[in-house]
Amino acid sequence: MTTPGYPTALGASSLESITLLGSDLADDVMGTVGFGELAFWLATQRRPSPGETRVFEAVLAALADHGFTPTAIVTRLTYLSAPDSIQGALAAGLLGGGSRFLGVTEDCGRFLHDVLARVDGALPTDDAGWDALALETVTAQRAAGRFVPGLGHHVHKQGDPRTPRLFQIATEEGHYGPHLSLFAAIGRVHPQVLGRQLPLNGAGVCGAALADLGLPLELLRGFALLARTAGLIGQLAEELRHPVANDVFLSVDLFNRPVDPDPFVPAPLPGAGAEH
């Protein structure tokens, strides 16, 4: 019988030492490598440059917490219900990371990458070229009845403060690449198609920045969840000192109102009832 093998370049332990990514964990990583740098290194199995680390950690900071979002509320409420299960409260919040909150980071990064991958020939080299590609992209999305990921915000209607700051940091570190260029162009041209000005939101610009760092598109939501884990720990820490979850629960409990049943009626299938 062939002995099974399970290769990994990540953590490994022996009687005397622990290695991680080919380095001695105790001597070469602990106290030397920051957590953001390590997260990047674990995902790519290459150590990031200082500039890459700065952009990556700026993304993590941008996504860590954004107030009483559904992810934060459900974390606090789950802790109220099961204070013996910190992991359950954190998991509840992370499970809410989807197409409306946090998941936009992955959706936007993938969307921009798909557009760039379909470009026939060289990518644009100036704003006029990027604007033309962005106009074509937004027009196609509008014609198909689809939203442009990363466009619009329910609170920051006049502009998301995270977006220009991340553009600035990426520029300073030499990591303002094609994904950010296309995203910025979408911000400039979309009013021509949509007839109104919408902000480029922070989750979207984070997706563009992570894609420009060359991180796996399949993991972009994972990085958003990594950032939000820190924020949810902060939400729980504040809940311990200044609890609000019970007030939220009591408010819903006291102000719910009975109504008559509203039976569900499925929509008819196309062509149902037609004679054949």
Side-chain angles (χ1 to χ4, degrees), residues 51-52 54-55 167-177 212-213:
E52 288 174 319
R54 184 178 179 225
V55 174
F167 278 135
Q168 177 188 359
I169 293 171
T171 300
E172 291 171 354
E173 299 300 337
H175 291 291
Y176 190 104
D212 272 345
L213 289 176

Side-chain angles (χ1 to χ4, degrees), residues 71-98:
T71 59
I73 295 169
V74 74
T75 290
R76 290 185 182 235
L77 289 173
T78 302
Y79 180 75
L80 173 67
S81 181
D84 52 322
S85 179
I86 288 289
Q87 69 274 22
L90 291 173
L94 294 177
L95 289 171

Side-chain angles (χ1 to χ4, degrees), residues 78-172:
T78 302
Y79 180 75
L80 173 67
S81 181
D84 52 322
S85 179
I86 288 289
Q87 69 274 22
L90 291 173
L94 294 177
L95 289 171
S99 58
R100 292 187 177 178
F101 292 89
L102 295 177
V104 177
T105 297
E106 177 184 330
D107 296 343
C108 187
R110 282 180 175 272
F111 171 75
L112 296 170
H113 192 80
D114 288 345
V115 172
L116 295 171
R118 292 194 299 267
V119 172
D120 186 15
L123 294 176
T125 57
D126 57 19
D127 282 353
W130 285 114
D131 285 358
L133 177 58
L135 187 59
E136 176 186 336
T137 299
V138 177
T139 300
Q141 287 293 103
R142 178 66 179 270
R146 295 190 294 262
F147 293 108
V148 176
L151 195 57
H153 197 283
H154 69 291
V155 174
H156 305 301
K157 298 184 183 300
Q158 304 303 316
D160 190 320
R162 298 170 294 179
T163 300
R165 178 58 173 154
L166 197 48
F167 278 135
Q168 177 188 359
I169 293 171
T171 300
E172 291 171 354

Side-chain angles (χ1 to χ4, degrees), residues 7-23:
T8 178
L10 302 177
S13 300
S14 68
L15 183 62
E16 299 84 13
S17 67
I18 304 172
T19 58
L20 182 63
L21 296 160
S23 300

Side-chain angles (χ1 to χ4, degrees), residues 222-242:
F223 297 122
L225 295 174
L226 172 67
R228 187 52 57 93
T229 300
L232 295 179
I233 290 173
Q235 291 284 338
L236 287 174
E238 185 174 76
E239 182 68 19
L240 289 170
R241 300 192 305 274
H242 305 290

Side-chain angles (χ1 to χ4, degrees), residues 164-261:
R165 178 58 173 154
L166 197 48
F167 278 135
Q168 177 188 359
I169 293 171
T171 300
E172 291 171 354
E173 299 300 337
H175 291 291
Y176 190 104
H179 298 85
L180 284 168
S181 296
L182 177 57
F183 194 55
I186 287 172
R188 293 191 295 268
V189 307
H190 74 269
Q192 299 177 43
V193 180
L194 304 183
R196 56 181 177 142
Q197 182 78 41
L198 296 172
L200 297 175
N201 63 52
V205 75
C206 285
L210 292 175
D212 272 345
L213 289 176
L215 292 163
L217 298 177
E218 299 84 357
L219 297 181
L220 298 192
R221 188 174 301 188
F223 297 122
L225 295 174
L226 172 67
R228 187 52 57 93
T229 300
L232 295 179
I233 290 173
Q235 291 284 338
L236 287 174
E238 185 174 76
E239 182 68 19
L240 289 170
R241 300 192 305 274
H242 305 290
V244 299
N246 197 54
D247 292 338
V248 174
F249 160 62
L250 291 177
S251 177
V252 176
D253 186 52
L254 291 173
F255 292 102
N256 73 80
R257 57 186 180 86
V259 297
D260 292 334

